[in-house]
Amino acid sequence: MPAACDSLIDDIEDIVSAQDLTPQDRQFARKAIVPRARKRNKQQDGVEEEEEPPSDSIIPGTQTIWIRTWGCSHNNSDGEYMAGQLAAYGYKITENPAQADLWLLNSCTVKSPAEDHFRNSIKKAQEADKKVVLAGCVPQAQPRQDYLKGLSIIGVQQIDRVVEVVEETIKGHSVRLLGQKKDNGKRLGGVRLDLPKIRKNPLIEIISINTGCLNACTYCKTKHARGDLASYPIDELVDRAKQSFQEGVCEIWLTSEDTGAYGRDIGTDLPTLLWKLVEVIPEGAMLRLGMTNPPYILEHLEEMSKILNHPRVYAFLHIPVQSASDSVLMDMKREYCAADFRRVVDFLHEKVPGITIATDIICGFPGETDEDFQETMKLVEQYKFPSLFINQFYPRPGTPAAKARQVPAHVKKQRTKELSQLFHSYSPYNHKIGERQPVLVTEESFDSQYYVAHNRFYEQVLVPKEPGFMGKMVEVDIYEAGKHFLKGLPASDAKVYTPSISRPLAKGAVSGLTEELRARQEKTAGSKWQSFRMPMQLPWLRGVGRTEMLSVSLALLAVLVAFVVATTL
């Protein structure tokens, strides 16, 4: 798809230069123009019908948008916020890419395959003659890649301006917003948490507690996109949680590039935030913690164990080890050793009985020897992690690890295979058959045969599809165990508890609408044509005087009156 302009535009405000006509000049430059009524179509049977707006209309707010997100829960939260703002403004969000006028592609830069999918989606969009807006960590980290040229980009800290970027892209402009949000020179955590959003699952709220991190891992490309640590204030996070529960949410996920580092930039810490959050969680609703790196959890082990024992917090923690070899960890610049990781896991296993520890491992990092890899195998054999994310190393452009001497591809594949075989050799859940457990039901399984629930330890439990179970906490008897799941049947005297303090929003409904946006939705919902809406928040309309706006409004009114007169004759 050819670019609408050869040069890139740093910001939307740059589209209008000082030499361009002002809105007033455009309005009065051709005073002899008289609005002309639209002619009516006549069918063969003589019945007259109104002519619909042209299908190729470029009036903003009338188009359909498909949003695709790759990557972590932080990225998914960003996608939900962008969908909510676009829907609140009037755009239709679809799950069918073929029906969409514009594709909003929200990318992940952690692994090469994820970027490959992103690149292929751009190509498909161009082949299908779709407008494209790019978001996420790939364009933020490397905006000058050849396959991104001429395409609109919205940065990870600019998603509150997605409506403007989409509108300009629909008009044929190429726009790039990649700046950082700051307050008095201090980098902010990101966009406001009270923006409209469309939750992918109306029962689950994803809250980003901070963005960026304090590490400089030699393999990580996400740092190039998300930057250094910037945390949200505790009161803003608590307010967002309260709003979520008022909208029927029964489960909250806390997410970031490193939740353990939360607050270090603003004089607080993760336990302080968590104790504030559990105060506002309704009985039966649950809180799930996100990923934390070992160095930052070590300082708060005692407090974290108390929080993870709280009845409204899942006894689950994702702590990536990446390797059990200290030499490899040093090359990765992970800032801990294997003994530190073992100390964290052993302490939590002792203080939080039954806790689920999930971890990540990279196979074939540059310089990893067979002896290094065997250390990692011993670690997995020792702890038999029930949740293990195995990743073959992919060199990411621009990272120090990409410049190091690489482990041969066949060796990386073999080590990945060996570790996968070890992981599948043990069954972590067999001992739970026969137990009675309370589980919170929040999803439907991929095969649509079961509802998906999670028990106290965030283990996946499949339960029968009883409509009354969704969004409820139910007691079940475990009768079967698989590698990644348990199956449960409602106990004969099962108690069904409703944790939500209000009815959940309908799927696709917009959360967090302000009074202004709600009024706009109600106003446009009753209008047959949205063609006469003016995008008042566009930058070049800011500062336009009342006289100029009145002139534009009168001209539009004249067109409308002429149309009505013509259709009633």
Side-chain angles (χ1 to χ4, degrees), residues 51-227:
E51 182 179 345
E52 292 296 327
S55 59
D56 62 347
S57 169
I58 60 168
I59 300 170
T62 63
Q63 290 76 21
T64 300
I65 299 174
W66 178 61
I67 301 175
R68 173 71 191 275
T69 294
W70 292 267
C72 64
S73 53
H74 193 166
N75 236 29
N76 277 276
S77 177
D78 286 352
E80 292 180 347
Y81 274 122
M82 289 189 284
Q85 292 172 86
L86 291 166
Y89 189 71
Y91 289 99
K92 179 181 178 182
I93 308 300
T94 181
E95 295 183 359
N96 186 343
Q99 293 179 352
D101 301 296
L102 180 144
W103 289 11
L104 175 53
L105 304 177
N106 188 18
S107 61
C108 172
T109 192
V110 171
K111 301 179 188 177
S112 296
E115 183 170 351
D116 292 340
H117 289 307
F118 175 61
R119 185 188 296 109
N120 292 336
S121 294
I122 294 174
K123 184 178 179 181
K124 288 180 181 178
Q126 293 170 329
E127 291 173 347
D129 199 26
K130 306 290 186 182
K131 301 286 188 181
V132 184
V133 172
L134 308 179
C137 293
V138 171
Q140 179 74 55
Q142 283 189 302
R144 300 191 182 280
Q145 294 187 81
D146 287 342
Y147 72 93
L148 303 180
K149 286 183 178 178
L151 299 177
S152 291
I153 293 175
I154 184 165
V156 295
Q157 285 211 323
Q158 300 289 338
I159 61 172
D160 55 341
R161 299 183 66 182
V162 66
V163 171
E164 298 173 39
V165 175
V166 165
E167 290 193 352
E168 291 310 307
T169 303
I170 286 171
K171 293 175 183 178
H173 300 139
S174 176
V175 185
R176 295 196 166 192
L177 294 179
L178 294 167
Q180 300 289 331
K181 290 189 176 296
K182 295 183 178 181
D183 182 18
N184 294 325
K186 179 178 174 58
R187 183 169 173 269
L188 299 177
V191 299
R192 298 195 333 264
L193 294 173
D194 60 353
L195 291 172
K197 76 186 307 187
I198 296 178
R199 299 185 183 94
K200 186 176 180 181
N201 184 333
L203 297 172
I204 298 175
E205 167 72 5
I206 306 172
I207 302 179
S208 302
I209 63 174
N210 55 264
T211 186
C213 68
L214 294 173
N215 289 24
C217 301
T218 57
Y219 56 84
C220 181
K221 193 65 179 293
T222 306
K223 176 80 172 188
H224 297 199
R226 298 284 184 178

Side-chain angles (χ1 to χ4, degrees), residues 249-283:
V249 163
C250 61
E251 186 171 290
I252 284 183
W253 298 356
L254 299 187
T255 184
S256 76
E257 283 65 58
D258 188 346
T259 58
Y262 170 80
R264 285 172 169 251
D265 57 319
I266 57 174
T268 186
D269 54 40
L270 181 62
T272 302
L273 168 65
L274 296 178
W275 285 124
K276 291 292 184 180
L277 283 173
V278 296
E279 292 177 5
V280 301
I281 300 175
E283 184 180 353

Side-chain angles (χ1 to χ4, degrees), residues 87-90 517-530 533:
Y89 189 71
L517 289 173
R518 198 179 302 278
R520 175 185 292 162
Q521 273 203 329
E522 292 173 356
K523 182 177 180 180
T524 58
S527 173
K528 183 171 184 180
W529 286 11
Q530 295 184 2
R533 286 190 305 133

